[in-house]
């Protein structure tokens, strides 16, 4: 057995049965092994950023890692931005990167570049298999490393001779690491804080944003008066009617500071001490008040879900009554952020997966969809735009039977627009709503924030018009049906129709 | 004056007057400075790979570097593949990358990543300006570093506080380094070799592939019986009727070995000792015969143009008569590589710029266009596919008044398809010919080369059908007019029409 076949068989033995790929010549023997060994679902994307983002979405929804297969260094480079998002979201991915043969790389062929250097910035684990006998063992390590709490990208670099040479050996799965339980002292500290009577916010992240953790968090909040909030960008949050209403720290710096200003204490459950996305002159970098005390109930790699259960018990917190929230109703007329958010919330299908890369036009969206049918919401965890279309693609594969709704800023959509073709090829149940404001609106806001008026350069660089992108034609070019909406009524009709169909559909919502 | 303004003014003072950009929040003050300071042409691309590739094409044609402006680390990451191509082509680019404020980065905000690590793999020079007083001086250094022979990417990392803080100082241009003259001993060694009567090939690269160097190379060849050839992928070669006919080392490994097999000596003029693009089992890595002697007339950073002139003089080589080559004539009927190559050669407009990312379907193209109207040919110097559309975009801006013909494989075009929009916005005279074979044909060839038959995985991963991309609709979505050709006659008509217009046009050539 050659190294490539030992890799495929080891991945399958370790429960990795889906690979998103954009291979090249150096990955040829891996592909040939996929031809010979049954059992691996193989999904092509025509750009590596789609591969990485799709693997991210798949893992968020399926709860297990996919593999990715990318071409040597420049191919990997094209995937880095979405691997960055996965890294920040603690999402497990087993990234296989082909490379020049070990004996050929010293000749510095044209395509050779710094594969390890590129991978290191996004990976929790990087290793090169120099010999076929190592491939299986390292692949099992990669799966273990990707899934070790808090989860991350494990990169296995596979020189082509390690792939094609005989001497491969299949490895079985290594023990997985459960998240470590938090110390009793952390529970006790949280109890003391919550009983202090001082204003306290509990900041939740990762698994603490899903059931059963959110129910325990709601019990704790109801029993103590503490408030619940999540980070600005969350990996996967259970959200909607009948679920505890946990907001997000707003993206705009002044809004974030205002939301966190009342608190004397913050209890972190898998979350980070919140910091501004960027530095702004005259604003602090940390978003909590300087005199607020930060209490770590659970670090990201610890068992925050268990910690919340123990904390609720320690507080003898009774089950929390869910406030009855009126379900959202559609809004007609002009296309505004608020009208869109309410209408989307009103018409969201049951058990949907919402991928939120709406950015500026979506600022009211999360609050509005608290009144929508229950759903999971996936967000841009690393802030590297261009994640929505790929993430939706992978989420649909990781959550079959559920409709994926990608609420998608147009500027961001352009980075990885090739994902639409993979949606068409795989006939994925994705509704993409492109919010076509035809500008990098967030940058106009930032420009105003620094006190500058827009001039010729900023108008050229922040505007996406002259000419406008025609999203219906772009979708058709990639094999996805689409239509344009210019009013909320048109949007509502198209959105309902799209969500009832099988396969992908794109709605271009024209923002005046 | 803040750091950002000192940067803009320094770039202008150093002769850099064009910036390709896809900025974000951390680059806001640079954009605001561009608003205030006149004189910089600002070109937006909606994906960073387009920014990097366009700067590459611009520099190849204008002979001077453009600046690029990218967002902090994940934004830079999206540009790395095309920076890699520029690095391998020795193309000067001044890459400005915004970054988190120096005092904010230690808080590890979500978008922070390894900017220096990402940049290092593609850059000849990397430096971070930590204080506004450094920005101007470093920018002048960056221009000097980018243009120092052999040329490369100089990356200046600009934390946002170095950009927005007062204390910037404009720097004047630093002395530029001319290419070093080669030692007399290298000339003498080449004379001895060429007079030995043993079979000799002269391998040319970079500036040695343009006038006056190619005329001197032709004199040397005519006087000594040596053969001329160029590397497989060249930065910019003068090519066509009336010019010395200098072929390329073929891409397919066995063809390359066969072409170089006859030679006992190779004289390198800016070229590398040729190595295979990838390792193949049972094939050597170096492509010259093992017993051939390699003579370095000029290293890439040395003055190969001058060396060829001195060598021609030392050999008392008379001017070479250009062989009269019959001009190509169009071919009608079925779409084949040979018919396409001949037809394109026959109809190529005068003084065109040909960007060749044709890959498999273009294998006969270079030989055929030796009989075309004289033109410059730009190729995929680093082998990282996805360079053609961006390079054409930049080349059109760097060579105003010349028609750019992008001969473009479809799979490769998808990586950076967003470039079409920049072509539309800037009204660039680019004719894109998408060779729509709807597969990664090169990979099917490689698979056969390893003795494997295509199975379900390779068919899924190497085929681009199910559904086919509709390139005419994609072009329209980006604002570029297009049409489809299914015969050589249709292609010929569309190609002539396209080249007479102003602005971009895309032809989808359907390959049966």
């Amino acid at each position: 057995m050659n190294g490539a076949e030992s890799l495929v068989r080891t991945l399958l033995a370790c429960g990795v049965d889906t690979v998103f790929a954009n291979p090249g010549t150096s990955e040829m023997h891996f592909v040939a092994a996929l031809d010979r060994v049954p059992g691996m679902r193989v999904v092509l994307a025509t750009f590596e950023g789609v591969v990485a983002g799709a693997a991210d979405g798949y893992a968020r929804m399926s709860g297990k890692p996919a593999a990715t297969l990318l071409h040597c260094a420049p191919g990997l480079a094209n995937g880095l931005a979405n691997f960055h998002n996965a890294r920040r979201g603690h999402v497990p991915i087993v990234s296989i990167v082909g490379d020049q043969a070990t004996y050929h790389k010293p000749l510095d062929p044209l395509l050779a570049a710094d594969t390890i250097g590129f991978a290191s910035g996004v990976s929790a684990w990087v290793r090169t298999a120099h010999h076929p006998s190592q491939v299986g063992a390292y692949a099992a390590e990669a799966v273990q490393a990707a899934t070790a709490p808090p989860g991350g990208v494990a990169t296995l670099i596979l020189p082509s001779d390690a792939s094609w040479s005989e001497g491969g050996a299949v490895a079985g799965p290594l023990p997985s690491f459960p998240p470590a339980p938090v110390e009793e002292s952390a529970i006790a500290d949280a109890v003391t804080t919550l009983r202090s009577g001082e204003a306290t916010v509990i900041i939740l992240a990762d698994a603490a944003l899903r059931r059963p953790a959110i129910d325990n968090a709601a019990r704790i909040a109801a029993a103590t008066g503490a408030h619940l909030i999540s980070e600005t960008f969350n990996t996967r949050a259970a959200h909607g009617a009948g679920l505890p209403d946990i907001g997000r720290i707003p993206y705009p710096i002044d809004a974030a500071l205002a939301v966190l200003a009342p608190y004397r204490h913050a209890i972190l459950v898998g979350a980070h001490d919140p910091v501004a996305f960027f530095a702004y002159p005259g604003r602090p970098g940390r978003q909590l008040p300087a005199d607020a005390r930060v209490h770590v109930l659970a670090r990201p790699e610890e068992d925050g879900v268990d910690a919340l259960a123990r904390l609720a018990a320690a507080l003898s917190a009774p089950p929390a009554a869910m406030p009855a929230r009126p379900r959202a109703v559609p809004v007609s007329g002009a296309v505004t952020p608020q009208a869109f958010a309410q209408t989307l919330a009103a018409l969201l299908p049951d058990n949907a997966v919402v991928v939120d890369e709406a950015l500026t036009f979506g600022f009211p969206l999360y609050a509005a969809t608290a009144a929508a049918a229950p759903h999971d919401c996936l967000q841009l965890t690393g802030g590297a735009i261009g994640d929505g279309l790929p993430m939706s693609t992978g989420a649909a594969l990781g959550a079959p039977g559920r409709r994926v709704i990608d609420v998608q800023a147009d500027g961001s959509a352009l980075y990885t627009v090739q994902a639409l073709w993979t949606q068409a090829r795989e006939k994925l149940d994705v509704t993409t709503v492109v919010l076509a404001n035809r500008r990098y609106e967030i940058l106009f806001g930032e420009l105003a924030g620094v006190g500058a008026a827009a001039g010729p350069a900023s108008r050229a660089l922040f505007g996406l018009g002259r000419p406008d992108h025609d999203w219906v034609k772009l979708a058709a070019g990639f094999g996805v049906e689409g239509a344009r909406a210019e009013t909320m009524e048109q949007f509502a009709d198209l959105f309902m129709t799209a969500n009832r169909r099988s396969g992908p559909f794109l709605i271009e919502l024209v923002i005046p």
Side-chain angles (χ1 to χ4, degrees), chain A residues 145-492:
Chain A
T147 54
V153 180
T155 301
L156 174 57
I157 300 170
L158 187 66
S160 54
D161 53 340
S163 182
W164 78 51
S165 301
E166 291 300 310
V170 180
L174 295 172
S176 61
F177 296 104
V182 306
E183 302 278 343
E184 194 56 42
S185 59
I187 308 284
D189 176 61
V191 169
T192 304
T193 302
L194 290 163
R195 288 186 172 154
S196 71
E198 297 189 317
T200 299
V201 63
I202 302 174
I203 309 179
L204 305 167
D206 292 349
L209 285 170
R210 308 214 294 275
R211 286 192 147 148
I214 50 176
D215 295 321
N216 286 320
R219 287 168 64 193
I220 294 163
T224 64
H227 293 166
L228 304 176
I229 203 163
S230 64
E231 297 187 309
T232 305
F233 295 113
N234 297 296
T235 305
R236 176 179 167 185
H239 193 55
L243 292 163
D245 186 7
I246 300 167
R248 297 157 63 198
I249 299 172
Y251 179 88
I253 178 68
D254 289 328
L257 295 171
V259 162
L260 295 175
Y263 301 109
R264 303 297 311 276
H265 299 273
I267 296 176
L268 308 181
V269 189
H272 298 273
D273 186 358
V275 304
F277 212 73
F278 296 103
Y280 295 91
R283 306 290 199 298
R286 290 182 59 240
Q287 296 178 321
L288 285 164
D291 61 351
R293 282 191 53 203
V294 176
H295 310 260
V296 178
L297 178 63
R299 297 196 302 270
E301 68 275 20
E302 293 179 324
D303 194 344
V305 174
D306 173 65
L308 285 168
R310 288 159 61 196
L311 179 57
L315 291 162
S316 304
M322 283 304 121
R325 284 193 295 277
R327 289 289 283 264
V329 291
V331 177
S332 60
V335 177
T336 67
Q338 191 63 44
F340 168 70
Q342 279 184 243
T343 303
L344 185 108
L347 303 179
L348 199 68
D350 286 340
N351 203 27
V353 178
V354 174
V355 173
D356 173 9
E357 198 179 9
L359 305 186
T360 47
F361 199 78
F363 281 163
L365 188 65
Y366 203 67
T369 48
H375 59 278
D376 282 303
C377 184
L378 317 184
Q379 293 164 336
L380 186 65
T381 45
I385 58 175
D387 207 5
L389 288 164
M391 182 129 54
S392 302
T393 305
L397 284 158
R402 299 176 66 174
R403 190 82 196 173
V404 177
I405 311 296
D406 179 17
V407 194
Q408 182 62 57
D410 56 352
S412 303
L414 287 168
Y415 286 69
T416 46
V417 64
Q418 304 92 340
L420 290 170
W421 178 81
T422 301
Q423 294 179 10
R425 171 177 266 201
E426 302 290 334
K427 302 181 171 59
L428 301 178
D429 293 335
V430 179
T431 302
T432 303
V433 183
V434 173
L435 304 166
N437 64 1
R438 313 201 193 285
R439 58 215 308 243
Y440 296 119
E441 177 65 25
I442 205 162
L443 298 183
F444 279 111
E446 300 281 3
L447 187 72
V450 306
S458 51
R459 278 191 294 267
L461 290 175
F462 304 163
L464 288 168
R466 299 189 297 115
D468 289 345
H469 290 81
D470 184 324
W471 281 96
V472 178
K473 286 186 179 148
L474 285 177
F478 288 114
V480 170
E481 197 178 343
R484 186 171 293 115
E486 300 190 342
T487 65
M488 288 318 304
E489 290 87 343
Q490 289 172 354
F491 169 73

Side-chain angles (χ1 to χ4, degrees), chain A residues 76-77 80 83-84 87 95 97 114-128 153-157:
Chain A
L76 168 63
L80 290 175
F83 281 134
H84 170 85
R87 172 173 84 96
S95 165
V97 184
D114 185 10
T115 309
I116 291 178
F118 290 161
S120 295
V122 297
S123 303
W125 180 99
V126 183
R127 197 155 187 180
T128 303
V153 180
T155 301
L156 174 57
I157 300 170

